[in-house]
Amino acid sequence: MKKILVTGANGQLGSEIKELAANYPNFDFIFTDIEDFPLDKATEIISNFKVIQPDIVINCAAYTAVDKAENDPETADAINHLAIATLASLCHDSGIKLVHVSTDYVFDGSSPVAYKEEDVPNPKSVYGVTKLAGETACLTNCPESIIIRTAWVYSEFGNNFVKTMLRLMSERESLNVVNDQVGSPTYAADLAEVILTILDSGKWEPGIYHYSNAGEISWFDFASDIKEMAQKSCEIKGIPASSYPTPAERPAYSLLNKSKIKAVYGIGAVDYRVSLERMLKRL
């Protein structure tokens, strides 16, 4: 039985992998989070690794507070970059498979078409810079690893756009939502299924892959769909990003091209509306 170490297990993606674990009885899952597997301390990563001795690592842990990272670059870099360098080295040295999760924020948002894996990254935020550095460290120290870039992650666990919208729609009569940042959301349960499907396939093709749900929408469109499906009466108004300045710059367009993961693993993207409806029902 293969032993899988899941880091960041209390986050959105880690929580969804926990939900699915029972469907994969041929894997023995070890779920860890910051309390028992802190990623900002290299010595603890190494000692924990020796104790657990995994066959596979799924790194779901990340510093994801995008705006906070602008004033806390050291912590963001420690978790999103330096920890990955340590993890990747340990995996490479012991012949352990590593799946690392990254982000659409490695791109600057200037592309007129959906981003492919080989497109040149150009992050605009500390978060994006540290996540790109993590990707580079991962592939440098463990070239045989798999990196999955995803975008706009939400689930019934943790804090995310969908849960924030539901709360605000219950509290307010109207909401302003940015309508000029375009991408596609990702239901963490779908991403968890994708990762476990890859591991269960027995086929290991290293490199970077893109995965999000299917669709091309703005945050305003997403909020409007949430309103409609949750049957809220709150008015949603579209505003430009310039009217809602944030400490970190977001890519204006970060749609991910998912043709590679389909070609290599036969994994298709679920329509975002189908996944959103499923999440709202579970919630």
Side-chain angles (χ1 to χ4, degrees), residues 9-283:
N10 295 338
Q12 296 191 82
L13 179 57
S15 297
E16 293 290 1
I17 292 174
K18 274 185 204 165
E19 294 283 302
L20 290 171
N23 299 343
Y24 293 85
N26 49 331
F27 294 136
D28 176 21
F29 290 89
I30 311 291
F31 292 101
T32 66
D33 208 77
I34 193 162
E35 296 83 16
D36 45 19
F37 201 107
L39 282 189
D40 54 351
K41 299 180 181 73
T43 51
E44 293 208 29
I45 295 174
I46 295 163
S47 60
N48 282 325
F49 222 77
K50 283 177 182 167
V51 172
I52 296 167
Q53 295 187 320
D55 300 296
I56 301 165
V57 175
I58 305 172
N59 181 45
C60 304
Y63 185 107
T64 55
V66 177
D67 289 323
K68 200 175 160 195
E70 293 297 310
N71 294 316
D72 192 11
E74 281 187 9
T75 308
D77 191 65
I79 295 169
N80 292 342
H81 165 216
L82 300 178
I84 311 313
T86 306
L87 267 182
S89 294
L90 289 165
C91 287
H92 177 70
D93 292 346
S94 303
I96 294 164
K97 290 184 166 71
L98 172 61
V99 178
H100 173 58
V101 181
S102 193
T103 174
D104 59 326
Y105 279 50
V106 299
F107 297 114
D108 62 13
S110 62
S111 173
V113 293
Y115 282 99
K116 292 186 174 178
E117 287 82 356
E118 61 271 18
D119 286 335
V120 179
N122 183 30
K124 294 291 194 184
S125 62
V126 167
Y127 170 69
V129 167
T130 59
K131 288 297 284 182
L132 178 60
E135 285 188 11
T136 305
C138 187
L139 293 175
T140 301
N141 296 347
C142 187
E144 62 277 21
S145 56
I146 285 176
I147 294 173
I148 301 177
R149 290 185 186 135
T150 191
W152 299 20
V153 177
Y154 70 93
S155 79
E156 51 267 42
F157 302 101
N159 299 314
N160 56 68
F161 183 79
V162 177
K163 287 169 78 174
T164 299
M165 286 297 108
L166 289 171
R167 178 175 56 79
L168 292 176
M169 285 175 196
S170 298
E171 293 170 0
R172 301 182 189 176
E173 290 181 4
S174 71
L175 276 180
N176 295 332
V177 182
V178 171
N179 62 5
D180 58 356
Q181 287 173 354
V182 174
S184 184
T186 308
Y187 182 25
D190 292 334
L191 180 57
E193 188 75 71
V194 165
I195 292 169
L196 295 175
T197 298
I198 288 172
L199 295 178
D200 201 41
S201 72
K203 178 179 178 181
W204 189 263
E205 296 283 346
I208 299 175
Y209 295 86
H210 287 171
Y211 182 82
S212 67
N213 287 134
E216 182 175 341
I217 57 170
S218 68
W219 292 107
F220 167 78
D221 299 326
F222 197 20
S224 300
D225 287 328
I226 294 164
K227 172 192 168 177
E228 179 193 324
M229 289 184 195
Q231 299 179 322
K232 300 287 187 184
S233 57
C234 177
E235 184 188 3
I236 312 291
K237 299 173 186 172
I239 59 164
S242 57
S243 298
Y244 186 73
T246 54
E249 189 179 336
R250 269 91 170 147
Y253 182 90
S254 64
L255 196 66
L256 299 174
N257 182 307
K258 297 168 275 281
S259 54
K260 181 181 173 183
I261 203 165
K262 182 115 190 341
V264 176
Y265 283 105
I267 292 170
V270 183
D271 183 85
Y272 83 92
R273 284 182 64 94
V274 172
S275 292
L276 175 59
E277 200 153 3
R278 192 157 66 97
M279 179 268 194
L280 290 172
K281 278 178 184 164
R282 282 176 69 183
L283 200 61

